[in-house]
Amino acid sequence: MVSFFTYNTLFTLTIIFLPPFFKLTNANFSEQFPADHHVNNQMSHLHFYFHDIVSGKHPTAITVAGRKNKFGGTAIVDDPLTEGVEPGFKVVGRAQGMYAMSSQDASSLLMVRNFVFLEGKYNGSSLTILGRNQFLENMREMPVVGGSGIFRFVRGYALAKTERFNVGTGDAVVEYNVFVMHH
Ligand SMILES: *[C@@H]1O[C@H](CO)[C@@H](O)[C@H](O)[C@H]1NC(C)=O
Ligand SMILES: *[C@@H]1O[C@H](CO)[C@@H](O)[C@H](O)[C@H]1NC(C)=O
């Protein structure tokens, strides 16, 4: 039961047990635990996969400016978020927004994304990520800068890890673990 752990313990465990933790493909979409007893905040951990499809007839990411994978290349996205790594898993939300190749050596993206959720008490609430994504790295961290609905006043961070990448098509499945504090 994760709820017994303090914020710091959980973080340590996350680092130590990274390989098995990130292999879980059917972990629960969300869990809550007390974050700070003094200010009565809640910590939520959300776990999902986003499916970025750039190929085929129904892409979820389209290049709208510049050239794909080159400095300045900019895409608008509306990616489904699923509970498990396969596209057939339940859709728990969508990642809508954009990304732009913001480094001259084409190694990092500016990410501007609104994650809007569809599940239970999160339905209709959103989280906003604004950060730098060094997508060639195994693990990337991006700030969660705000949210709406149940996530008003939120702050936190997202850890992203590419689970699958098709070199031929450019399609990717990325695992997200998002940790946020809210009221
Ligand atoms: C998922 O949630 C159920 C019911 O709350 C709980 O029993 C189970 O341990 C959870 N699984 C994981 C992997 O956290
Ligand atoms: C989420 O909210 C929408 C709009 O209120 C509703 O149509 C939908 O059934 C809800 N989904 C779930 C899973 O509760």
Side-chain angles (χ1 to χ4, degrees):
M1 258 308 259
V2 165
S3 51
F4 289 119
F5 302 139
T6 63
Y7 168 75
N8 284 332
T9 319
L10 178 74
F11 186 72
T12 312
L13 286 174
T14 305
I15 299 302
I16 293 170
F17 298 123
L18 219 46
F21 183 73
F22 283 99
K23 273 201 192 94
L24 275 179
T25 53
N26 55 356
N28 289 337
F29 166 60
S30 70
E31 59 189 346
Q32 276 80 49
F33 33 91
D36 185 335
H37 298 287
H38 304 290
V39 292
N40 200 27
N41 274 350
Q42 285 283 312
M43 169 89 105
S44 285
H45 168 208
L46 304 174
H47 174 258
F48 50 81
Y49 296 84
F50 84 56
H51 301 261
D52 199 50
I53 300 154
V54 296
S55 68
K57 279 190 183 150
H58 303 288
T60 63
I62 54 169
T63 300
V64 294
R67 279 181 302 150
K68 205 163 151 181
N69 302 329
K70 303 280 185 221
F71 180 49
T74 302
I76 297 290
V77 299
D78 182 358
D79 291 340
L81 306 176
T82 61
E83 214 164 25
V85 68
E86 303 295 343
F89 270 85
K90 184 159 89 174
V91 173
V92 294
R94 306 197 70 83
Q96 299 172 333
M98 56 174 285
Y99 58 79
M101 192 67 80
S102 56
S103 67
Q104 296 195 33
D105 64 1
S107 70
S108 73
L109 300 165
L110 162 70
M111 301 285 282
V112 184
R113 293 233 175 182
N114 295 314
F115 291 141
V116 57
F117 300 103
L118 303 167
E119 268 306 282
K121 67 175 176 180
Y122 300 103
N123 193 5
S125 294
S126 69
L127 288 175
T128 299
I129 282 182
L130 175 63
R132 178 166 183 260
N133 182 0
Q134 291 166 281
F135 59 96
L136 299 172
E137 301 288 326
N138 183 45
M139 187 71 70
R140 293 88 70 184
E141 179 182 336
M142 286 166 272
V144 175
V145 296
S148 71
I150 200 172
F151 294 122
R152 280 179 185 174
F153 293 120
V154 85
R155 61 202 162 93
Y157 63 96
L159 298 176
K161 178 176 174 286
T162 302
E163 195 63 40
R164 292 180 185 171
F165 180 70
N166 185 321
V167 182
T169 62
D171 295 350
V173 180
V174 182
E175 181 183 42
Y176 268 79
N177 275 281
V178 180
F179 296 86
V180 289
M181 286 212 266
H182 55 101
H183 295 308

